[in-house]
Amino acid sequence: MKINGNEIKPGNVLQHQDTLWAVVKVEHVKPGKGGAFAQVEMKNLLDGRKLNERFRSADKVERVRLEQKDFQYLYPQDDMLVFMDTESYEQIELQAEFVGERAAFLQDGMMVTLEMHEERPIGITLPQFVTLEITEADAVVKGQTQSSSYKPAMLENGVRVMVPPFITAGERIVVDTSLVEYVRRAD
């Protein structure tokens, strides 16, 4: 779908220079001389490069709609992660680096959303919160107050997070997967 340069918004995905770009930031500029334009900061969805581009209102750009599909995480295999389409039961293998450091939060049977463009995965969304067990936590230093700073703890998946001083090893906590930080004790 073609849109005008002044209709670009953050979060849009554009086809530009024969590749896909996610719009990160848009600033509308009206200089004293010449016509107005949109200064657009974009990130390449395939290789992560950044690009700043100017679009005048008369410029036409191709806006791409990504298809979102639900997949279930099955298991890791070498440096690949195996997911299953919940509708067709077809399996897809993705490089572990495609998911990045958040791959540590994948659990058997976890539902994820893959953003697809022409049947090719572009992005992945994990559930925002996961419940994990603390395997080791530093002891509280005597004299520390309840409101003092957090202490480091190791989760069962090998990820380190900062937790409040009252959390001990063996407890289950809820972790935010996007920020990789402690949210609360699990019920």
Side-chain angles (χ1 to χ4, degrees), residues 3-167:
I3 60 171
N4 291 334
N6 61 347
E7 297 173 351
I8 300 171
K9 293 180 175 37
N12 287 161
V13 177
L14 306 177
Q15 179 91 35
H16 182 65
Q17 298 176 348
D18 297 326
T19 186
L20 293 177
W21 299 86
V23 176
V24 179
K25 201 160 81 177
V26 178
E27 185 179 343
H28 294 281
V29 180
K30 296 177 180 93
K33 231 178 183 179
F37 59 88
Q39 183 73 37
V40 181
E41 183 179 317
M42 301 182 287
K43 183 176 180 193
N44 190 308
L45 288 175
L46 305 177
D47 60 21
R49 288 181 295 141
K50 287 204 172 184
L51 174 72
N52 274 312
E53 195 75 54
R54 285 182 176 185
F55 293 101
R56 302 213 174 275
S57 61
D59 294 342
K60 295 280 190 193
V61 288
E62 184 69 31
R63 182 170 169 216
V64 178
R65 290 205 184 270
L66 297 180
E67 181 185 358
Q68 294 194 333
K69 282 180 134 181
D70 289 333
F71 281 79
Q72 183 177 26
Y73 173 67
L74 298 178
Y75 55 87
Q77 182 174 326
D78 301 324
D79 63 342
M80 304 295 274
L81 301 170
V82 181
F83 296 88
M84 179 181 67
D85 186 335
T86 55
E87 292 174 15
S88 66
Y89 299 106
E90 290 179 30
Q91 291 186 4
I92 183 173
E93 289 185 359
L94 298 175
Q95 293 278 339
E97 62 195 38
F98 176 79
V99 180
E101 59 201 28
R102 295 176 309 152
F105 292 108
L106 288 171
Q107 299 169 343
D108 290 346
M110 178 182 276
M111 296 303 293
V112 299
T113 304
L114 279 177
E115 291 181 323
M116 312 281 277
H117 179 258
E118 296 174 354
E119 297 301 313
R120 197 163 131 230
I122 299 292
I124 187 167
T125 307
L126 273 60
Q128 185 171 2
F129 302 110
V130 294
T131 303
L132 294 165
E133 187 175 321
I134 303 266
T135 54
E136 59 183 70
D138 292 355
V140 179
V141 178
K142 193 166 175 74
Q144 256 185 334
T145 61
Q146 189 70 15
S147 63
S148 74
S149 61
Y150 283 27
K151 64 182 183 179
M154 182 70 77
L155 298 171
E156 63 184 280
N157 62 358
V159 175
R160 278 195 158 318
V161 293
M162 299 301 281
V163 296
F166 58 83
I167 299 290

